[in-house]
DNA sequence: CAGAATCCCCATTGATACTG
DNA sequence: CAGTATCAATGGGGATTCTG
């Protein structure tokens, strides 16, 4: 997690340049937990512990790391309240909400083809060897 | 590369179920090379070696592996011509082309926010330590 | 030409313990 | 509460070699 190239897609065949642009976007939400966090924070400010509960299965460490990355990319804003005990809130930026909206088309695609893909896999695994033997 | 759950998103908070659906889609194109291959094969049948040239930087091994995954998911069709020397052609399925169209929104998002993200990173790295420092 | 088989590295993730 | 610090496991991906 720390893809340095922010926009270096460079030259090359036209379609591979497009591929690179797509990857640019995917690399920011490609992490295992990014989407879950983004969605949880898109409705309003969320606290660290609340995220820990809502994003099921995430470890404290990964929550911290993913949070930092999202913040670094400008997808999340971190607001620290100087109180004791500490209170930190994370909020999705407009850019992040736009991102999520762009993902809607992809979500629909997944829903439409869920079964087709599942079937394709079963068929494939029958012809070639199945994962377990 | 062999995510077994084809559609097991299970129950849980509503937004985390959505997060899971998004990940379902992302997991199929999340690989480093999937998109490049998909795009290269979306215009028409492509041969193995041609892909090797067009998808810049890919190794023979990763090409084979990614090809197999895409085929397994029903995104690519593999056609073997019984000639000598062998000739194998890969073609994107309609489902794959739909997928690529769904990615257009994401591509636009990436283009719109390229600079903003780059700036956010620079700012972040200035306040906190930079990667190399 | 189109792979399959091997070996190896390191980035991502996880588990656990400690702290301002 | 909201992290940081360490250690360990896993597997994605690269490089190379062999083959029908």
């Amino acid at each position: 997690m720390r893809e340095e190239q922010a926009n270096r897609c460079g030259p090359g065949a036209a379609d591979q340049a497009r591929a690179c642009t797509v990857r640019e976007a995917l690399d920011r939400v490609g992490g295992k937990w990014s989407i879950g966090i983004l969605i949880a924070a898109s409705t309003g400010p969320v606290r660290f512990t609340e995220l820990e509960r809502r994003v099921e299965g995430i470890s404290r460490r990964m929550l911290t790391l993913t949070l930092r990355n999202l913040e670094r990319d400008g997808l999340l804003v971190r607001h620290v309240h100087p109180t004791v005990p500490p209170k930190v809130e994370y909020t999705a930026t407009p850019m992040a909400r736009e991102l999520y909206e762009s993902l809607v088309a992809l979500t629909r695609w997944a829903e439409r083809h869920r079964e087709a893909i599942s079937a394709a896999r079963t068929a494939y695994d029958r012809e070639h060897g199945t994962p377990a033997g």
Side-chain angles (χ1 to χ4, degrees), chain A:
Chain A
M1 272 204 204
R2 191 171 264 277
E3 310 79 28
E4 279 322 315
Q5 35 61 3
N7 59 8
R8 284 282 152 257
C9 276
D15 52 358
Q16 291 308 304
R18 285 198 291 163
C20 180
T21 302
V22 178
R23 296 227 84 281
E24 261 182 47
L26 293 182
D27 284 345
R28 305 222 166 67
V29 289
K32 190 172 179 181
W33 308 104
S34 309
I35 302 272
I37 294 178
L38 241 22
I39 293 184
S42 64
T43 3
V46 209
R47 299 185 60 177
F48 188 90
T49 309
E50 197 181 340
L51 281 171
E52 206 173 357
R53 278 196 309 271
R54 296 199 2 205
V55 182
E56 296 170 37
I58 196 170
S59 69
R60 191 159 294 188
R61 172 187 158 80
M62 286 318 294
L63 179 53
T64 304
L65 283 180
T66 310
L67 246 17
R68 292 290 169 277
N69 280 305
L70 294 173
E71 190 196 352
R72 186 166 113 107
D73 287 346
L75 294 171
L76 242 42
V77 168
R78 180 179 126 116
H79 189 222
V80 183
H81 300 259
T83 61
V84 47
K87 177 175 177 178
V88 181
E89 287 182 320
Y90 293 89
T91 315
T93 62
M95 185 165 81
R97 278 195 290 278
E98 278 184 54
L99 171 58
Y100 179 63
E101 281 160 29
S102 307
L103 286 169
V104 170
L106 203 56
T107 308
R108 288 216 222 293
W109 179 88
E111 286 167 348
R112 274 206 305 280
H113 297 290
R114 226 172 233 179
E115 285 192 38
I117 292 173
S118 191
R121 291 197 171 186
T122 309
Y124 185 96
D125 291 345
R126 186 156 5 96
E127 289 187 47
H128 315 66
T130 95

